[in-house]
Amino acid sequence: MRAFEYANPATKEQAVGLLSNSWGETEVLAGGTDLISLMKDEVIAPKRLVNIKGITELHGIATNIKTGLRIGATATIQDLLDNAIVHRTFPALWDAAEGITSPQIRNMGTVGGDLCQRPRCWYYRGGYGLFAKTEKGDPLVPGGDNRYHAILGNSGPAYFVNPSSLAPALIAYGATFRVFGSSGKRDIPAEKFFLTPKSEGEREYDLKSNEILTEIIVPMAAGARGVTYEVRQKEALDWPLAAASVVVNLAAGKVRSARIVLGHVAPVPWRSQDAEAALVGHAIDEKTAQAAAEAAVKDASPLSRNGYKVQLARVAVKRAILAAAKGGVR
Amino acid sequence: MRDDEEDVEGSGLSRRDFLKVGGISLTVPLVIGHRVVKAAGADVKVFGPNKVPIELTINGKKMSASVEPRVTLLEAMRHELDLTGAKRVCDRATCGACTVIVDGKAVYSCTVLAIEAQGRAITTVEGLMTGDKLHPVQQAFVDNDAQQCGFCTPGFVVASKAFLDKNPHPTPEEVKRGLGGNLCRCGTYMGVRAAVQQAAGAQKGGRRNG
Amino acid sequence: MADYKWPDAEKRTLIGKRISRLDGPAKASGKAKYCYDYNRQGLLYGKILRSPHAHAKIKSIDTSAAEKMPGVKAVKVIQGPGTEIFWAGDEIVGIAAVDEPTAEDAMRAIKIEYEVLPHHVIDNDPKSTPQDLLKPSGDQTTGEPDKAFGDADVVVEGQYGQPVITHCCLESHGATSEWTDDKSLLVHVSTQNVSGIANQMAGVVKVPAANIHVQQDHIGGGFGSKFSIDRWGNESALLSKMADGKPVKIFLERSSELMVAGARPSSYAKVKIGAKKDGELTAWESESWGTGGIGGGGAPPIPYVFNIPNQKRKNTSIANHIGPSRAWRAPNHPQACLITMSALDDLAAALKMDPLEFYFKNMELTGPRANVYRDEFKIGAELIGWKQHWHQRGDQTEGPIKRGLGLSLHTWGGLGHASDCDLTINPDGSVELKMGTQDLGTGTRTTLAIVVADSLGIPMDAVKISIGDNKYPVSGGSGGSTTIGGVSASSRRASVDALDQLFAKAAPALNAQPGDLESVGGAIRVKSDPGKSLTWAQACGKLGGLPLTVRGKNPGPGNLISQGVGGIQMADVSVDIETGIVKMNRMVAVQDCGLIIDLKTAESQVYGALIMGICSALYEEKIMDQNTGKMLNPNMEFYKLAGIGDIGELMVHMMTGKGYDERGPIGLGEPPTVSPGAAISNAVANAVGVRVPYLPLTPDKVLAALEKKGGANHAGI
């Protein structure tokens, strides 16, 4: 790890004031589980870390019947799991948090950190850049070991998958991300927050280098049924190979509205409006769930070694839909 | 130790704030404490990149050291304070060998900066014993042979203690799910499961399963 | 002549009981100091700069900037310009500095130019391998394989194998070296070979081996990868020399540990196997290949255990640039077992035979352990409910979750190695055993205390066990399951001889002949008149002013140990055929290892072996990238190991009693690690109805095999 200086501001204004206006110079420190690892691997080498854990207004989870759930950016994964409202009303979010099976990560990792963590692509982590290129500029992923890479939205130059556990569920619940910067706050629909970078230096999310994610607002989801289903090899801490968050509203036994968002399959959390459309107006059963699952992956374009992920994504969507129909409420 | 230089508001920070971090001129092992920079009209302390004095509260004792901000809590404990119970293994928040309890919660000390652990109550495996007496969790690890080479053991003991503090009457399924943040290479998991169940009984006066 | 033989079952006070390991409290309390934990006075932190290229020639090295950095105490070029490098991660420059951050900064200040050369890091297909890296090895024919295949009623062909996996010791490899004077070196090294290290270092550090003192109290895993001082160990001593003898600690980062400090060779094979329709095995043909890095790889001992009468074998070793290989628990056996037992299982499936019945049909081909295997299979089948749960290939249950059972068997030698020890009885009654061995977590310390205490008739806590120091009598490296036989035999002989000498000193006080005495429960007494006795301390007082020290040796008089064990394992898995995810339900191991000294730690060894086997069957692979020549997963995030919830329920049964105990202690570290891959692969095939050719059994491979269902590789569905 390269040397850096460290600040522990008390307010979000101070935090923003301590951040540089260009990427690479400063980084925001929250749970640290990803950031410190990236710095040890020298994938990034900021000259200043701004710890935002001391900013009280970024803490905690609060519920308001009118405005919904307000999750502070530094609320931890464990805070989500311990929250009765999250458990009862936002089960897809709770499921997603539970998929992070290390208690230590749950205790340290923050919601904001989960959303802003960097891709786990092993070429990126190995020092070949976000687009994983050789010195000559040749992309390494298409002809390399892409078993964990994207099957959707992967026309390049980004081939990594968005690693967030919580993002698909937050998008499915129609959350809004609130961002604070030198010119004040900005609200961004969760779905629009995540970006597929097109050139080096761009990030995978809509934040400037001197902005911080401060809170996540999730509108109340009365009557909605939600489930997140992760396909994961291990029970112990492990990355999902594919995941799907599904939130549906039923009326008279039929789907009135649906949000279906896939995780770990594309450079961004992948909302499938095709899958949603396939479901709306129908009762959920084996057949309609299968049809929605097929719709979710119909545009998949697997790379040389990750064709199996198409099947895993399909299964994740189908199982999440069926589980939502059966339960999805607590 | 106040630096006269101030940040230029809005631009984030001035070039000179960052010494020559990438260059070799930086590595002067001096303790220079902190500087103060202006941010949002307030004075904010900025520490490092050179060594800064820190004070940690570990196992109820105040301990001080002088480290750069880039030094992790694990490294500070192992290199500066001779607390070597927590191990460095994966060093990337995956394996749990470095687990300590901070303010009641199990964390990976390999990815906590020492400087940010100040003011927290830190408990390490060394702090679990009462005099010469092993903590019930430690005793259960011994009784159930929940260790072979023993390198993962301190992390597992601490994670188990934190788990039981939160879940005093775990089912076997809860034990399997509640210790998913620690890895063992020799393969002691059967012993660990039994140890946690035994300790759960012992902590509650020998009652098990209610 | 002293009677060294092991006490009969009814006379054993400690041997064979369940005893908690002696160093358990130290380990559980964090007090146990591993070599990685020693912070010697004035410690310097060593780092190694490694090659980023898998194959290259060093053109130039400029260390001048690093040398000038404050806090840097020594910089040493390990491999200089002109040297050809054969794997990424090889050691180029060593640095010692006052702290870790400084050492890291100094590494970044070193400039190395390379001429990059072509590399090859793929091992799963000899056809895609450059010809000059292929080495044919081990072509052999026995009997008349062609005729036997012609006469066979059923012939099955399949492809099986397993990639390179790494040891991933939790305590990485490393050493701290310091010069206590100009000519004397003290080394704390994480090693399986305390007595052997000094002679490995002597030539390199240029002092006599006698001047090199090696110490290690505890070791955080070795598994076969820690017999050598390694280049970094030597460099710690050489850097220390450059830094006025100050201690220099070099322990590998996790990435280096996984890249260069431990790898088990891969092994793959195309197998053809034939039998009569009643199941009698008649013919074997295999074409195998694999790699252990630039040195290639050895031919796996296939067919494993089953000595099929007619065989044709061909092996090709692939030399490539993935980094060096090291011994890994039971070298070559797990790979050979996987290949053989998978082929046998596919053949049984083609015959529609229960594999258990098929194994019994051919059991005589296993040689001298046939009866052991039969007994063990009966116990294993009972424990796992084989009869109730086994079904023909392909679980016909509705739904995506398919369950299956698989089995395997294995063998190992495990003869005790050469071992010397000194047993001292002091006039105050205290007892110390000194031996230059090491406790890898197998319980060596504990077993020594059990042997000595049981032999002397005193409690365990009356015995001090001193190991992990090369100033103690030489004992072999702990590898190949040779430790327990060696150390138990030498310590037993020392104990018996020491007791005889103590009896001689005590006999006059009891008006008896030394031969009439026995030591029981802390008292020396006359066998025929137990009322006539001295306490242990009183008897020791008769030694006079000086302690009694006796050298125990192995080999030595008396038949105390033997070799050759058999074990069987059965696995019960569930496979989600929609996701390809394999979950362990249960696993059973039934194992023979002769006379068990400590049942508790012996069982732990077997549990551990099963878990390591589950890890490699389901998760482990050293993933190499052909474009960059580098390992893609040199971390514990993607070099996956099973967690506490991933192993199912495990059952271990140790074979003890008549027929086993009289063989004396036989090593146990290797044998139970052999079968898991085969048993699990067979269970998966039984569940899903098709063979997944290669481990690890990851979703991509399982789904691919299911997709191909109907191909040549799934006879019998």
Side-chain angles (χ1 to χ4, degrees):
Chain A
M1 190 160 24
R2 289 178 192 247
F4 56 84
E5 54 181 35
Y6 167 90
N8 188 23
T11 67
K12 61 180 192 286
E13 290 78 10
Q14 291 172 13
V16 165
L18 288 160
L19 288 169
S20 165
N21 57 5
S22 59
W23 285 116
E25 308 231 296
T26 57
E27 291 285 347
V28 172
L29 171 67
T33 56
D34 186 32
L35 182 71
I36 304 292
S37 296
L38 283 161
M39 290 167 66
K40 285 181 182 174
D41 288 333
E42 295 200 33
V43 175
I44 57 170
K47 291 166 183 163
R48 178 185 287 172
L49 284 198
V50 178
N51 180 13
I52 59 166
K53 287 195 295 293
I55 304 171
T56 319
E57 64 182 296
L58 306 191
H59 296 177
I61 300 172
T63 325
N64 179 308
I65 291 293
K66 271 162 85 180
T67 54
L69 195 64
R70 178 219 166 264
I71 305 168
T74 60
T76 62
I77 307 300
Q78 189 62 45
D79 290 340
L80 284 180
L81 289 167
D82 290 342
N83 187 288
I85 304 288
V86 173
H87 186 253
R88 201 166 54 237
T89 313
F90 301 96
L93 181 58
W94 194 89
D95 291 347
E98 207 208 13
I100 301 165
T101 55
S102 158
Q104 292 92 325
I105 297 281
R106 290 176 181 176
N107 289 335
M108 304 169 77
T110 63
V111 173
D114 173 82
L115 298 171
C116 297
Q117 66 183 306
R118 310 303 304 277
R120 317 307 297 198
C121 163
W122 43 31
Y123 294 101
Y124 170 57
R125 300 271 165 167
Y128 295 95
L130 201 50
F131 299 140
K133 288 180 176 173
T134 62
E135 273 175 23
K136 286 184 212 147
D138 300 327
L140 285 163
V141 176
D145 197 320
N146 45 46
R147 69 182 75 183
Y148 298 136
H149 285 80
I151 53 169
L152 284 156
N154 59 355
S155 54
Y159 299 100
F160 57 80
V161 296
N162 180 284
S164 170
S165 293
L166 308 177
L170 290 170
I171 293 169
Y173 282 118
T176 299
F177 292 179
R178 185 159 292 167
V179 163
F180 183 79
S182 50
S183 43
K185 70 172 190 191
R186 229 158 35 95
D187 282 352
I188 309 164
E191 196 181 340
K192 307 268 183 218
F193 180 76
F194 299 96
L195 305 169
T196 301
K198 292 290 174 203
S199 59
E200 283 292 348
E202 289 178 20
R203 290 238 170 164
E204 316 85 76
Y205 39 77
D206 182 9
L207 270 186
K208 295 193 187 74
S209 61
N210 56 358
E211 286 181 323
I212 55 172
L213 179 61
T214 56
E215 62 203 287
I216 292 99
I217 295 126
V218 197
M220 285 313 276
R225 294 161 176 264
V227 166
T228 295
Y229 188 92
E230 288 186 349
V231 181
R232 222 176 43 233
Q233 224 195 334
K234 296 201 295 177
E235 295 294 326
L237 185 61
D238 196 11
W239 292 103
L241 298 164
S245 293
V246 169
V247 175
V248 293
N249 284 285
L250 302 180
K254 292 193 173 154
V255 176
R256 190 160 48 85
S257 66
R259 285 260 207 158
I260 297 175
V261 187
L262 286 76
H264 303 275
V265 295
V268 293
W270 191 263
R271 181 172 172 195
S272 175
Q273 282 167 320
D274 292 338
E276 294 166 6
L279 212 53
V280 171
H282 300 284
I284 292 176
D285 58 25
E286 184 75 21
K287 216 174 114 208
T288 52
Q290 182 71 36
E294 295 298 345
V297 297
K298 80 172 171 19
D299 294 332
S301 53
L303 304 167
S304 58
R305 297 192 55 169
N306 67 1
Y308 75 105
K309 286 187 63 169
V310 178
Q311 165 67 6
L312 301 190
R314 188 187 284 128
V315 173
V317 171
K318 181 180 172 186
R319 290 186 182 177
I321 292 171
L322 290 172
K326 265 192 228 149
V329 280
R330 291 187 173 98
Chain B
M1 230 180 285
R2 153 125 208 178
D3 195 306
D4 291 336
E5 188 183 12
E6 286 186 356
D7 272 21
V8 183
E9 291 261 359
S11 75
L13 33 100
S14 65
R15 290 304 322 162
R16 273 188 56 211
D17 274 355
F18 289 128
L19 302 176
K20 282 181 186 143
V21 178
I24 50 171
S25 59
L26 174 78
T27 46
V28 186
L30 287 176
V31 178
I32 61 161
H34 66 266
R35 308 178 292 123
V36 173
V37 301
K38 275 259 188 281
D43 288 345
V44 181
K45 290 177 185 169
V46 173
F47 299 87
N50 288 338
K51 288 187 178 183
V52 293
I54 61 165
E55 189 177 84
L56 299 170
T57 308
I58 304 181
N59 303 326
K61 287 189 210 113
K62 294 236 188 282
M63 301 183 171
S64 38
S66 173
V67 297
E68 294 181 29
R70 63 173 149 167
V71 170
T72 64
L73 174 59
L74 176 67
E75 289 157 357
M77 292 191 304
R78 291 182 55 84
H79 300 164
E80 309 293 327
L81 306 171
D82 206 31
L83 288 166
T84 57
K87 306 300 184 208
R88 173 150 75 180
V89 176
C90 77
D91 208 23
R92 299 292 187 280
T94 308
C95 77
C98 65
T99 301
V100 299
I101 297 173
V102 175
D103 289 345
K105 289 173 182 163
V107 303
Y108 296 133
S109 63
C110 73
T111 34
V112 175
L113 297 176
I115 193 170
E116 56 165 327
Q118 297 182 100
R120 308 296 192 88
I122 300 162
T123 304
T124 71
V125 69
E126 289 94 342
L128 298 184
M129 288 177 74
T130 309
D132 287 341
K133 198 174 180 316
L134 293 176
H135 185 279
V137 172
Q138 293 171 316
Q139 187 60 50
F141 268 65
V142 175
D143 294 345
N144 294 279
D145 207 32
Q147 45 190 349
Q148 287 190 38
C149 86
F151 213 68
C152 74
T153 305
F156 250 118
V157 164
V158 174
S160 300
K161 198 255 177 204
F163 168 72
L164 286 169
D165 286 348
K166 206 174 155 110
N167 312 272
H169 301 290
T171 64
E173 279 310 307
E174 286 166 344
V175 173
K176 289 181 204 168
R177 285 206 308 271
L179 293 171
N182 290 68
L183 296 171
C184 168
R185 187 48 160 159
C186 299
T188 59
Y189 298 135
M190 294 298 283
V192 174
R193 288 179 188 172
V196 174
Q197 293 293 350
Q198 175 186 317
Q203 281 184 344
K204 300 295 150 195
R207 279 188 299 137
R208 207 194 289 194
N209 301 326
Chain C
M1 155 112 187
D3 183 8
Y4 297 107
K5 79 176 178 56
W6 297 101
D8 295 335
E10 64 278 8
K11 292 214 163 156
R12 294 174 208 148
T13 57
L14 297 163
I15 290 171
K17 306 280 188 282
R18 286 177 180 279
I19 293 167
S20 293
R21 66 181 66 230
L22 284 184
D23 47 9
K27 287 177 172 175
S29 63
K31 287 181 177 169
K33 287 277 180 192
Y34 296 75
C35 291
Y36 203 163
D37 295 334
Y38 284 104
N39 293 319
R40 309 283 302 169
Q41 189 69 35
L43 184 67
L44 300 176
Y45 291 81
K47 293 271 171 198
I48 304 281
L49 187 59
R50 295 175 179 279
S51 168
H53 304 294
H55 188 197
K57 194 171 268 188
I58 302 172
K59 279 160 68 179
S60 68
I61 301 178
D62 179 1
T63 60
S64 55
E67 283 164 35
K68 283 181 208 136
M69 291 171 70
V72 173
K73 298 298 180 188
V75 179
K76 185 173 169 296
V77 172
I78 301 169
Q79 301 194 78
T83 315
E84 190 172 344
I85 300 299
F86 293 99
W87 59 85
D90 200 7
E91 297 83 26
I92 312 293
V93 180
I95 289 170
V98 291
D99 56 25
E100 254 191 342
T102 306
E104 281 179 28
D105 291 341
M107 286 214 294
R108 279 190 284 273
I110 293 170
K111 291 188 176 58
I112 305 176
E113 284 184 308
Y114 295 92
E115 178 193 347
V116 179
L117 302 170
H119 61 248
H120 187 80
V121 295
I122 305 293
D123 65 350
N124 58 5
D125 185 9
K127 287 197 193 77
S128 71
T129 306
Q131 278 302 311
D132 59 326
L133 299 178
L134 297 176
K135 286 182 212 156
S137 64
D139 287 20
Q140 262 183 314
T141 301
T142 50
E144 295 177 277
D146 292 341
K147 180 174 183 304
F149 276 115
D151 294 345
D153 296 319
V154 182
V155 174
V156 167
E157 291 182 50
Q159 191 158 319
Y160 317 101
Q162 185 168 16
V164 172
I165 64 172
T166 88
H167 295 67
C168 195
C169 303
L170 293 199
E171 181 188 31
S172 59
H173 286 62
T176 301
S177 301
E178 62 195 273
W179 293 84
T180 51
D181 63 42
D182 273 3
K183 295 192 177 69
S184 304
L185 185 65
L186 173 62
V187 185
H188 286 89
V189 54
S190 183
T191 183
Q192 298 175 237
N193 191 12
V194 166
S195 289
I197 291 293
N199 281 283
Q200 295 174 17
M201 295 185 83
V204 182
V205 303
K206 298 193 171 59
V207 288
N211 295 14
I212 302 175
H213 187 182
V214 175
Q215 287 187 318
Q216 171 191 257
D217 274 353
H218 301 281
I219 170 174
F223 316 114
S225 69
K226 287 181 179 169
F227 289 104
S228 161
I229 182 63
D230 287 314
R231 191 141 51 191
W232 47 82
N234 283 323
E235 291 304 321
S236 72
L238 296 170
L239 285 164
S240 170
K241 186 110 204 171
M242 292 169 73
D244 301 326
K246 282 196 174 146
V248 173
K249 181 194 268 192
I250 299 181
F251 275 78
L252 303 191
E253 293 78 28
R254 183 54 36 186
S255 55
S256 309
E257 179 70 18
L258 295 188
M259 281 193 289
V260 303
R264 180 175 91 175
S266 60
S267 197
Y268 306 87
K270 285 180 184 154
V271 176
K272 191 163 94 173
I273 185 167
K276 296 291 190 186
K277 60 174 174 280
D278 65 354
E280 183 196 344
L281 272 167
T282 54
W284 169 279
E285 186 177 337
S286 59
E287 216 174 300
S288 55
W289 70 94
T291 187
I294 202 69
I302 47 177
Y304 185 63
V305 184
F306 286 93
N307 189 14
I308 300 170
N310 305 287
Q311 302 178 17
K312 194 192 279 184
R313 286 172 289 156
K314 183 170 180 254
N315 184 67
T316 303
S317 157
I318 301 176
N320 63 12
H321 303 98
I322 65 165
S325 67
R326 293 174 183 232
W328 201 97
R329 293 175 85 169
N332 280 330
H333 282 229
Q335 299 97 316
C337 182
L338 172 73
I339 290 166
T340 305
M341 303 307 159
S342 298
L344 257 56
D345 194 71
D346 285 353
L347 184 59
L351 287 159
K352 302 263 181 209
M353 267 178 97
D354 178 341
L356 191 56
E357 195 186 315
F358 176 75
Y359 274 44
F360 271 76
K361 171 83 191 167
N362 292 288
M363 202 63 88
E364 285 309 313
L365 296 179
T366 65
R369 311 251 85 75
N371 281 331
V372 172
Y373 292 130
R374 285 192 187 98
D375 288 350
E376 290 177 336
F377 270 125
K378 284 175 198 155
I379 293 166
E382 201 61 37
L383 284 170
I384 207 159
W386 186 272
K387 279 217 174 85
Q388 301 91 295
H389 298 298
W390 184 82
H391 51 70
Q392 291 284 344
R393 265 206 183 169
D395 181 1
Q396 301 303 317
T397 314
E398 285 290 302
I401 306 298
K402 307 296 185 192
R403 194 164 173 177
L405 290 182
L407 55 77
S408 174
L409 61 75
H410 54 259
T411 188
W412 188 255
L415 180 66
H417 56 214
S419 170
D420 286 0
C421 64
D422 280 346
L423 182 71
T424 296
I425 301 177
N426 288 294
D428 70 352
S430 61
V431 174
E432 182 179 15
L433 181 88
K434 290 180 179 164
M435 186 191 285
T437 187
Q438 48 278 319
D439 188 339
L440 270 51
T442 49
T444 304
R445 253 190 198 88
T446 312
T447 55
L448 285 171
I450 290 171
V451 168
V452 172
D454 197 319
S455 302
L456 296 181
I458 57 177
M460 272 174 78
D461 59 11
V463 182
K464 181 180 175 190
I465 301 296
S466 298
I467 61 171
D469 193 314
N470 72 332
K471 298 301 175 198
Y472 299 148
V474 172
S475 195
S478 289
S481 297
T482 58
T483 304
I484 189 63
V487 304
S488 65
S490 66
S491 59
R492 170 72 182 171
R493 291 189 180 103
S495 303
V496 170
D497 286 345
L499 196 58
D500 279 355
Q501 293 187 30
L502 183 64
F503 286 167
K505 297 278 189 183
L510 291 165
N511 287 323
Q513 293 301 308
D516 297 336
L517 300 183
E518 61 181 3
S519 178
V520 177
I524 308 289
R525 65 189 194 192
V526 179
K527 284 182 206 165
S528 57
D529 185 2
K532 282 169 71 179
S533 73
L534 296 171
T535 66
W536 174 261
Q538 285 168 341
C540 294
K542 307 295 176 200
L543 289 170
L546 290 174
L548 163 71
T549 293
V550 171
R551 171 64 54 100
K553 295 180 89 66
N554 188 60
N559 285 328
L560 290 180
I561 55 174
S562 58
Q563 65 179 315
V565 299
I568 68 100
Q569 293 181 6
M570 292 172 164
D572 169 0
V573 304
S574 285
V575 185
D576 184 333
I577 56 166
E578 292 180 0
T579 63
I581 286 178
V582 179
K583 296 281 182 203
M584 297 303 304
N585 297 320
R586 294 177 302 156
M587 219 170 155
V588 165
V590 186
Q591 186 64 49
D592 137 44
C593 65
L595 175 66
I596 291 173
I597 303 292
D598 180 1
L599 188 53
K600 195 178 217 174
T601 51
E603 284 177 351
S604 289
Q605 279 283 291
V606 184
Y607 282 121
L610 289 176
I611 292 168
M612 264 190 139
I614 290 167
C615 289
S616 63
L618 300 187
Y619 310 119
E620 287 181 67
E621 178 180 4
K622 182 175 183 178
I623 301 173
M624 299 299 299
D625 181 51
Q626 179 57 27
N627 285 325
T628 59
K630 285 188 188 163
M631 183 175 178
L632 289 170
N633 57 343
N635 51 57
M636 291 176 74
E637 188 177 336
F638 289 109
Y639 191 86
K640 296 186 186 185
L641 299 179
I644 194 168
D646 295 307
I647 57 166
E649 295 299 326
L650 310 179
M651 290 169 275
V652 170
H653 180 93
M654 304 302 297
M655 302 299 282
T656 56
K658 200 169 169 323
Y660 297 97
D661 290 6
E662 57 267 32
R663 303 189 65 211
I666 309 173
L668 183 59
E670 332 293 303
T673 63
V674 175
S675 273
I680 293 167
S681 181
N682 289 341
V684 168
N686 182 249
V688 304
V690 61
R691 171 70 52 185
V692 183
Y694 295 164
L695 305 185
L697 299 160
T698 48
D700 52 343
K701 295 198 200 74
V702 174
L703 289 176
L706 283 164
E707 212 165 283
K708 266 203 222 154
K709 208 165 174 173
N713 194 33
H714 82 295
I717 310 301

